[in-house]
Amino acid sequence: MMKNKKYRRTNSAFGCWLLAFSLALVGCMDFDDATQAISIKVQVQMPEALKGADVSGRTVTLNLGGKSITAQTGSDGVATFQNIVPDVYDISTSWKMTAQEYANLTGEHVGNGKYTVAGSLNTQMLATEKTLTLSTNVTKDQSMLISKVYYAGSKDNNNKNYLAGKYIELYNNSDEPYDASGLYIALMESESTIAYTPGQVKDTIFAKQVFRIPADKAFIVEPGGSVLIVNSAIDHSGQGPNERNLLSADFEAKDKQGKTTNNPNVPELQLVYSTYSLISQLNMVQSGPCSVIIFSTSEDVLNWPTAYAYGKTKGSLFMKIPTSSVIDGVDILSKKAQTGVDVNTKRLFDYLDAGYTNINATNGYNGEVVYRKIESTATDGRKILKDTNNSQNDFDVTTDINPREYK
């Protein structure tokens, strides 16, 4: 017994010594490398058409989980970020240019209006000090913008899924009246595996549905005015806390199958093309993706080619839309519970939308509306909506907004 007791004391002493040694070792180890802040430089590169433009004083933004960090470029076009925590960031920049400034640089005199210079680098792992090149594109600001997309649906008063109140809203962001007759609205393909990534077919995007505002007569949208396009132009406000009255809708995508209540007093939004023969309404998937564009063309779009998903010879056929016809686009992506937003499923080229947006729910039904934010207010009280060609900057989501309301 005495021997056993001595053995226990020896082990106890050894254990104390080992613990002390371990603590001393831990105390000498440096774990700072795992979370050590870093410096990042971003070189803003102007598009070829604007070589020679002043790149100083431009704001570059790092975005992480809805939080932003900004830095200004120096005379060399480099923005420096200090004390950045290593993580995966979205990087963007944008600024406005007058028509005169554009003409001075390019020699092209194209009347009035403004231009947007913008660029983005999405999902950049910043773990070591480095310099990144941020390329930019220049696009002419358009009068009509996509200002709201309500695709999520909601839960009704009985906690059941409610999808009839979906809508898209367009907005005249200019100071002149706009004739929206003949304007096309298209929903991009929303396959679980993207049919074509931007760039697989040069300057071409792929739509599952194309609609058109009737062109038989003028449809004038005044400055600061909107076009409300719905699936069901009735009062949905009594169905649930997040539904709205859509009786004032301008156009309705009629349900040819009669499963959704339509309003005979609201003009029909013309269905030009649908991948799905039995679906005549706006096929906005409540969980996303739900990328939308508006475009204009004098061509007969029924003669535009269609294509199967990349590498396939059967299945769904999508209309090929040339990006040169696009007036505005918003890339709305889906969100996964474990990994968040999958930015690798962007449907639009960066020069159409340098960023993306999304609702917070992974399956939809949360009543959130994707809406374009106000940038400023004109002297006449007209709201000027934000348009930096980057939906991460321009859009927000809320359940507390009405049709034709902006904030």
Side-chain angles (χ1 to χ4, degrees):
M1 292 296 295
M2 291 296 293
K3 185 177 182 180
N4 287 340
K5 287 182 180 179
K6 183 178 180 181
Y7 177 75
R8 291 193 188 97
R9 285 197 300 271
T10 302
N11 271 319
S12 177
F14 177 75
C16 291
W17 174 85
L18 182 61
L19 176 60
F21 176 78
S22 299
L23 290 173
L25 181 63
V26 169
C28 294
M29 292 179 67
D30 183 5
F31 287 94
D32 288 345
D33 288 346
T35 56
Q36 185 175 6
I38 57 175
S39 296
I40 295 295
K41 293 184 177 182
V42 179
Q43 171 73 66
V44 175
Q45 185 177 76
M46 296 296 289
E48 188 66 31
L50 301 180
K51 284 289 179 67
D54 183 11
V55 290
S56 63
R58 306 305 182 186
T59 299
V60 179
T61 302
L62 302 187
N63 188 282
L64 174 64
K67 296 182 179 180
S68 299
I69 308 169
T70 61
Q72 304 294 312
T73 58
S75 58
D76 57 356
V78 175
T80 302
F81 295 84
Q82 304 284 0
N83 299 319
I84 299 301
V85 177
D87 212 319
V88 178
Y89 291 83
D90 293 325
I91 307 171
S92 64
T93 188
S94 68
W95 65 90
K96 297 295 182 181
M97 177 178 290
T98 66
Q100 186 59 56
E101 290 172 327
Y102 181 84
N104 291 342
L105 289 165
T106 65
E108 298 179 27
H109 295 273
V110 288
N112 298 322
K114 291 185 177 182
Y115 289 77
T116 296
V117 182
S120 68
L121 290 169
N122 294 319
T123 61
Q124 296 295 304
M125 180 62 197
L126 304 183
T128 58
E129 297 192 355
K130 63 174 70 174
T131 299
L132 299 98
T133 299
L134 178 56
S135 299
T136 59
N137 297 290
V138 58
T139 55
K140 190 177 190 306
D141 289 1
Q142 300 293 335
S143 298
M144 291 300 292
L145 299 175
I146 299 165
S147 54
K148 288 197 194 82
V149 182
Y150 176 46
Y151 67 95
S154 69
K155 294 291 185 179
D156 67 11
N157 295 323
N158 297 313
N159 201 36
K160 292 184 178 180
N161 297 337
Y162 191 81
L163 300 174
K166 297 181 180 184
Y167 67 87
I168 294 174
E169 194 168 293
L170 313 180
Y171 186 86
N172 182 358
N173 210 37
S174 74
D175 57 2
E176 297 181 353
Y178 182 90
D179 184 2
S181 61
L183 187 67
Y184 290 91
I185 302 98
L187 300 180
M188 298 296 95
E189 61 83 14
S190 56
E191 303 292 286
S192 56
T193 299
I194 187 170
Y196 287 88
T197 57
Q200 280 187 298
V201 179
K202 184 179 179 181
D203 296 333
T204 302
I205 51 180
F206 296 80
K208 64 180 180 180
Q209 283 185 311
V210 177
F211 295 86
R212 189 189 193 198
I213 293 176
D216 56 336
K217 59 182 179 181
F219 186 80
I220 305 299
V221 184
E222 296 297 330
S226 57
V227 185
L228 182 57
I229 297 168
V230 306
N231 276 339
S232 177
I234 66 172
D235 185 355
H236 299 271
S237 60
Q239 299 298 322
N242 294 319
E243 293 299 323
R244 298 293 184 261
N245 186 345
L246 300 182
L247 282 169
S248 67
D250 297 297
F251 299 98
E252 183 182 60
K254 307 290 186 181
D255 184 2
K256 305 300 183 183
Q257 300 231 329
K259 295 180 180 180
T260 303
T261 302
N262 288 142
N263 187 336
N265 298 318
V266 175
E268 180 176 2
L269 182 71
Q270 297 175 346
L271 176 62
V272 177
Y273 178 81
S274 181
T275 297
Y276 319 108
S277 60
L278 297 179
I279 300 177
S280 59
Q281 293 192 291
L282 294 161
N283 181 232
M284 297 189 287
V285 181
Q286 57 272 11
S287 60
C290 187
S291 301
V292 183
I293 65 165
I294 53 177
F295 70 96
S296 178
T297 181
S298 59
E299 299 178 15
D300 184 355
V301 300
L302 291 177
N303 292 329
W304 283 3
T306 57
Y308 297 110
Y310 181 74
K312 294 187 177 181
T313 57
K314 60 181 180 180
S316 298
L317 278 170
F318 307 107
M319 179 174 282
K320 300 171 69 172
I321 297 179
T323 57
S324 58
S325 67
V326 176
I327 295 173
D328 188 36
V330 53
D331 230 343
I332 304 177
L333 307 185
S334 57
K335 183 177 182 180
K336 300 185 183 300
Q338 301 300 322
T339 57
V341 181
D342 186 0
V343 300
N344 294 315
T345 61
K346 273 178 62 67
R347 266 64 181 176
L348 303 181
F349 289 86
D350 284 349
Y351 58 81
L352 298 180
D353 185 354
Y356 58 88
T357 187
N358 58 276
I359 60 171
N360 291 304
T362 56
N363 296 317
Y365 305 114
N366 67 346
E368 284 187 333
V369 178
V370 172
Y371 73 97
R372 192 180 289 266
K373 296 180 287 188
I374 294 174
E375 180 177 56
S376 60
T377 302
T379 55
D380 60 0
R382 174 175 55 89
K383 305 299 182 186
I384 300 173
L385 303 187
K386 199 165 186 179
D387 180 22
T388 68
N389 194 42
N390 188 321
S391 290
Q392 284 178 287
N393 302 328
D394 299 340
F395 284 84
D396 207 340
V397 296
T398 185
T399 58
D400 185 26
I401 197 166
N402 294 309
R404 307 187 200 277
E405 177 186 15
Y406 297 94
K407 55 179 162 182

